[in-house]
Amino acid sequence: MFEMWKSIITVICLGGLSVEDIRRKEISGWSLLITAGVGLVLLAVDGCWREWQTLYRFVPGLVCLLLGWLTRESIGYGDGLVLLCMG
């Protein structure tokens, strides 16, 4: 039952970021912080934050941020931050 609620909450958060990005052509830092905080709370409640494999979830976002930095933001930092939140 918790898995279903976790998925619903995640979709709502990411959907909110998508709507904000479509309307304003940018995502505010506060929205990203709130989404990341919700994700961390869900990890803590689920108890899987104790597993070291959980760190692999953040690799795609970190790689995207690195690529954004190397290409002088051809890939925007917002994309990397959203991937990081999704992890």
Side-chain angles (χ1 to χ4, degrees):
M1 184 72 169
F2 179 70
E3 291 296 322
M4 180 182 69
W5 282 107
K6 190 166 69 168
S7 297
I8 290 170
I9 292 169
T10 302
V11 167
I12 289 170
C13 287
L14 293 176
L17 290 177
S18 296
V19 168
E20 182 179 355
D21 189 26
I22 290 169
R23 286 188 180 167
R24 295 180 40 204
K25 304 291 186 228
E26 68 179 3
I27 299 173
S28 70
W30 284 109
S31 298
L32 285 170
L33 282 175
I34 290 169
T35 302
V38 168
L40 288 174
V41 167
L42 289 174
L43 275 176
V45 170
D46 195 19
C48 64
W49 59 273
R50 293 185 183 122
E51 300 171 7
W52 64 271
Q53 293 95 343
T54 302
L55 296 177
Y56 289 134
R57 296 177 180 190
F58 302 117
V59 170
L62 293 173
V63 168
C64 194
L65 285 172
L66 179 66
L67 287 173
W69 180 70
L70 290 174
T71 61
R72 295 192 181 123
E73 248 187 293
S74 289
I75 299 173
Y77 290 129
D79 298 327
L81 291 172
V82 169
L83 279 174
L84 203 59
C85 287
M86 286 173 52

